[in-house]
Amino acid sequence: SQIPVQFNFSFTEFQLIGFTDLKGYRPLLFIPFCIILVYTLFANGILIIIIAKERKLHAPMYILIGLIAALGFFVPIYFIPRMLVGFLWEMNTITRHECLIQMFCLHFSACFQSTILLGMAVDRYFAIIYPLRYNDFVSLTNSLIFFAILSIRNAVSIIAMVGLVVPLTFCRTNLIYHSFCEHTSVVNLACNDLTKNYLALTVAFGITSADCFLIFCSYVIIFVVIFRSPSGESRHKAIHTCTTHIMTIVIAYISVTAAFVGYRVATIPRDARILTSAMYHLVPAICNPIIYGLRTTEIRTQIVKCFKFNKITTY
């Protein structure tokens, strides 16, 4: 009978070697990713400051936009600086603990983005379906309870998912063909049975899918009510606001779908898979400041005021 192999050795460091198929062209990736980092920090930072400073923008809808901007600010920080160092100086090493922390931050942020988008849908639902009772439904207490429950749900799911990676034995190789610690790429290096790990990933994906379904149902009901109402300024404003949110939702879920398909279609080059995975985290951070800065009148007005004031003070 065959004696089972005992894996007593496990790597404590990994090498993130994403985009090395590009060989000499890899350092050139420093330029676009550095621009993306600077832009996302600047654009989302302005959005956060404007919403935090202006008391008129302390309504639930704008606070949710502020949270989306906060995600857009922090998510690139989780992985782009390390990518830039790797592109320029070939410093690709990441410790196991750093890898797990990065994995948790990225996946928790993705779940939290889904929660914020659901919060926006619920906010618009009560604003349009029950306008006279909006303040009763969307009170500070109710909003805090809503986000506390969903945040605990997200945390439990992601802690379980990352927690199941902790005891794994990484004895095959320590080379990860990726630019950050994405769950599937790391788990596939393990020598253990991965059934529980894939189950935890499926649960996390199921949570965002459930949020997506609820968001879809909310907006279907909202638009049915809007188009049945008499035309006028309030109807136009409701359509404009909801369309703005839907643009954000579409961008978020198209990015998710592209990343998901990238890992399921074998013919897609592995560098393209890494790029779609990175864009899944970065596209919302890039697009949301433009969408809300241009399409939300109150925010656009405050941004213009801010820049005009700074221009005057420089003279």
Side-chain angles (χ1 to χ4, degrees):
S1 61
Q2 190 177 359
I3 300 171
V5 180
Q6 296 295 322
F7 301 108
N8 296 320
F9 173 76
S10 183
F11 287 102
T12 56
E13 290 183 343
F14 301 114
Q15 298 291 324
L16 295 168
I17 58 167
F19 296 113
T20 49
D21 284 353
L22 297 175
K23 297 177 182 177
Y25 294 103
R26 188 176 186 250
L28 296 177
L29 291 174
F30 177 90
I31 298 168
F33 279 100
C34 184
I35 291 169
I36 288 170
L37 179 63
V38 172
Y39 162 76
T40 52
L41 294 181
F42 176 74
N44 287 289
I46 286 176
L47 212 55
I48 293 164
I49 291 166
I50 292 292
I51 292 169
K53 279 180 67 178
E54 187 57 45
R55 295 191 68 178
K56 291 178 186 176
L57 302 178
H58 290 179
M61 185 178 77
Y62 300 111
I63 292 170
L64 290 168
I65 293 171
L67 289 173
I68 282 278
L71 277 182
F73 185 90
F74 286 108
V75 167
I77 295 172
Y78 296 151
F79 68 99
I80 290 186
R82 183 176 287 279
M83 285 174 68
L84 298 179
V85 170
F87 292 152
L88 275 194
W89 295 288
E90 295 294 328
M91 295 170 63
N92 302 315
T93 304
I94 186 169
T95 67
R96 183 168 171 160
H97 294 108
E98 288 172 337
C99 187
L100 292 172
I101 291 167
Q102 188 185 64
M103 187 190 298
F104 173 82
C105 290
L106 287 172
H107 285 283
F108 182 78
S109 297
C111 269
F112 194 60
Q113 176 181 253
S114 179
T115 298
I116 295 169
L117 294 175
L118 178 59
M120 287 179 167
V122 171
D123 176 76
R124 290 301 87 200
Y125 177 86
F126 286 116
I128 291 164
I129 309 298
Y130 302 104
L132 298 178
R133 298 192 62 195
Y134 172 78
N135 291 327
D136 295 330
F137 287 120
V138 191
S139 63
L140 178 61
T141 305
N142 290 343
S143 299
L144 289 174
I145 291 169
F146 175 82
F147 277 100
I149 291 169
L150 293 186
S151 296
I152 291 167
R153 176 204 68 174
N154 295 345
V156 169
S157 169
I158 302 304
I159 287 170
M161 188 179 82
V162 176
L164 288 168
V165 180
V166 175
L168 293 180
T169 304
F170 298 97
C171 58
R172 298 183 198 277
T173 178
N174 69 336
L175 301 178
I176 303 174
Y177 200 87
H178 213 298
S179 292
F180 51 89
C181 288
E182 190 268 338
H183 180 268
T184 306
S185 300
V186 175
V187 164
N188 285 340
L189 302 181
C191 308
N192 316 70
D193 176 31
L194 302 177
T195 307
K196 291 180 180 177
N197 299 89
Y198 287 122
L199 181 62
L201 181 63
T202 304
V203 170
F205 186 76
I207 285 172
T208 53
S209 299
D211 288 349
C212 181
F213 176 74
L214 291 172
I215 289 166
F216 175 78
C217 291
S218 299
Y219 280 109
V220 167
I221 296 168
I222 287 167
F223 276 103
V224 167
V225 171
I226 287 173
F227 288 116
R228 282 182 178 174
S229 64
S231 59
E233 183 63 30
S234 58
R235 175 176 166 175
H236 174 74
K237 189 176 180 182
I239 292 171
H240 182 83
T241 305
C242 290
T243 306
T244 303
H245 291 323
I246 287 169
M247 287 171 67
T248 306
I249 292 160
V250 168
I251 286 168
Y253 285 107
I254 284 177
S255 304
V256 172
T257 306
F260 183 78
V261 170
Y263 278 96
R264 299 301 178 276
V265 180
T267 54
I268 293 177
R270 54 184 186 171
D271 282 339
R273 292 177 187 176
I274 298 170
L275 187 62
T276 56
S277 187
M279 289 300 106
Y280 155 53
H281 293 290
L282 294 176
V283 167
I286 293 166
C287 295
N288 289 341
I290 298 170
I291 293 169
Y292 289 115
L294 293 178
R295 288 182 59 86
T296 309
T297 307
E298 293 81 358
I299 293 175
R300 186 175 67 245
T301 304
Q302 295 304 321
I303 291 171
V304 170
K305 276 185 184 178
C306 178
F307 279 103
K308 276 186 177 178
F309 177 77
N310 288 337
K311 203 171 182 181
I312 291 165
T313 52
T314 54
Y315 291 109

